Amino acid sequence: MKKLTLLIILTLSVTLSKAQNDLDALLAAGVEDAERFANDYLAPGTNGLMHSMNANWFNSGKVKPLGGFEISIVANAAQYGDDQKMFNMNTSDYNNITFTQGGNPQMVASVLGENNPTVFVDIEYEDPIFGNQTETLELPDGIGDGTGNLLPTAFIQGAIGLSSGIELKARFVPTVETDEVSLSMYGAGLQIEFTDWLPADKLWPIAISGVVAYTHLDGKYDLTDSSGIDGDDQRIENKTNTWLLSLVASTKLPVINFYGGLGYIKGKSESDLLGTYIVTNGLISAEPIVDPFSVSSEVSAVRGTIGTKLKLGFFRLNAEYHLSEFNAFSVGLNFGFR
């Protein structure tokens, strides 16, 4: 559960929790090498979560009338496959890292996978007294199969109908704080029904609309008790921003309806390793490393959606599936008026 929480806030914490003693050596090999590895290692996880964050922004092509509203509890999950569990690590692109077992390049675990068998690398670094030194470390695993190949997110969401076929939406995750973790998420969207502007719109068997939505995540993880490295104010901070643009069409039946969408997701996730880190080797300490590096990943993908919605008076239930770079599914428990 701890590793899953760290993944949700999009940080480097899995790397640190799996290889606390190895980070000294990895930083000793050079900040550039550490940054390159962390960027490739984390990207599949952050990209999958950006897809998960963008599910269930709509459940109908028909917008709510003026004053109509809906409050929802939404649970999403992006799916990942074997191709996202590994990445191709080419040590020719690194300055001071080689595979202990020989061979290059090799497939190694991303934050979503695990190395089986274990993969070791040799780190070369310059000791101020003893000169060139080599240390062997184990590359970190990720979450493996512990989450059933799913990247979950959840929201509280609201929607209200405005005039002229326009619906305003908002979603949020209240700030969650523990001794180490701080997480918050919010988003806003607008849905415009085009068929509402047409003559005799009530005679149309389907409703067609467009949706634009923005989601933002802030995450922070305090490394003070877990990094295993001397220093001060050690932490990881993340900011993730995503956009969704989609066309939506749905039936207009009284009880059960079906809807579909064709859209485009674009997003960027940035994680910063901040604070002061003092790399040591026995009694020898190198110069402190301040705010070592930042890593980022981006998504840009077309997405198709199919879904259904059941309406029983004040109560509504919807379920949907998304086809994209990371397929995703979502369910929503909705309470609404009109």
Side-chain angles (χ1 to χ4, degrees):
M1 182 64 182
K2 177 181 178 182
K3 288 192 291 184
L4 178 59
T5 301
L6 302 185
L7 178 61
I8 291 175
I9 66 171
L10 313 178
T11 68
L12 300 175
S13 307
V14 174
T15 304
L16 298 172
S17 65
K18 296 293 291 185
Q20 293 173 9
N21 296 330
D22 294 337
L23 188 58
D24 290 73
L26 197 58
L27 285 174
V31 172
E32 183 179 343
D33 280 357
E35 180 177 9
R36 181 183 296 276
F37 177 82
N39 199 77
D40 291 341
Y41 174 81
L42 284 172
T46 54
N47 290 352
L49 280 169
M50 283 188 275
H51 280 265
S52 180
M53 289 165 58
N54 275 283
N56 221 324
W57 265 115
F58 54 84
N59 54 40
S60 175
K62 182 69 179 174
V63 303
K64 294 166 181 56
L66 177 64
F69 69 90
E70 188 172 76
I71 304 297
S72 307
I73 300 172
V74 176
N76 306 329
Q79 301 171 295
Y80 59 90
D82 291 342
D83 55 333
Q84 280 101 24
K85 294 180 181 180
M86 310 291 287
F87 71 92
N88 190 25
M89 182 177 178
N90 187 352
T91 56
S92 297
D93 297 330
Y94 290 76
N95 298 316
N96 301 300
I97 298 179
T98 57
F99 287 110
T100 303
Q101 299 95 327
N104 185 53
Q106 292 185 27
M107 299 298 292
V108 301
S110 74
V111 71
L112 301 179
E114 55 187 342
N115 291 308
N116 186 16
T118 301
V119 178
F120 294 92
V121 292
D122 291 332
I123 303 297
E124 293 185 7
Y125 64 95
E126 191 68 25
D127 188 278
I129 294 180
F130 302 105
N132 187 265
Q133 299 291 310
T134 300
E135 183 171 342
T136 299
L137 64 87
E138 177 185 341
L139 289 183
D141 290 326
I143 60 176
D145 294 325
T147 60
N149 292 359
L150 299 176
L151 297 173
T153 54
F155 305 91
I156 298 172
Q157 186 162 296
I160 186 168
L162 306 178
S163 60
S164 303
I166 299 175
E167 181 178 309
L168 182 64
K169 305 170 182 287
R171 58 172 44 173
F172 76 102
V173 174
T175 300
V176 178
E177 292 187 358
T178 68
D179 292 340
E180 297 176 331
V181 175
S182 174
L183 168 69
S184 64
M185 197 180 304
Y186 61 83
L190 197 66
Q191 183 168 356
I192 300 175
E193 184 186 345
F194 306 130
T195 47
D196 189 64
W197 301 342
L198 300 177
D201 67 282
K202 296 185 183 300
L203 300 179
W204 284 74
I206 62 172
I208 300 174
S209 60
V211 173
V212 56
Y214 167 78
T215 308
H216 175 83
L217 178 146
D218 283 308
K220 180 179 179 181
Y221 185 70
D222 186 347
L223 301 174
T224 303
D225 297 326
S226 61
S227 75
I229 306 171
D230 291 336
D232 299 301
D233 197 23
Q234 297 174 355
R235 66 197 188 280
I236 299 171
E237 295 183 0
N238 172 270
K239 293 186 182 298
T240 298
N241 297 284
T242 65
W243 285 94
L244 170 68
L245 300 173
S246 186
L247 286 174
V248 185
S250 74
T251 56
K252 298 167 61 176
L253 302 174
V255 178
I256 187 168
N257 283 281
F258 302 92
Y259 61 91
L262 181 63
Y264 176 74
I265 293 175
K266 186 171 180 61
K268 184 174 184 179
S269 180
E270 298 177 289
S271 296
D272 302 319
L273 181 62
L274 303 174
T276 301
Y277 300 79
I278 302 174
V279 179
T280 62
N281 182 30
L283 300 177
I284 306 300
S285 296
E287 288 295 320
I289 302 173
V290 180
D291 298 344
F293 54 75
S294 299
V295 296
S296 65
S297 68
E298 298 186 36
V299 296
S300 181
V302 174
R303 188 187 77 177
T305 301
I306 54 173
T308 184
K309 182 178 182 180
L310 175 66
K311 180 179 178 182
L312 297 172
F314 189 71
F315 171 79
R316 297 97 187 265
L317 179 68
N318 78 287
E320 62 187 36
Y321 191 76
H322 304 277
L323 297 170
S324 189
E325 179 184 357
F326 287 80
N327 295 338
F329 62 89
S330 178
V331 293
L333 182 61
N334 315 292
F335 304 91
F337 175 72
R338 302 174 70 183

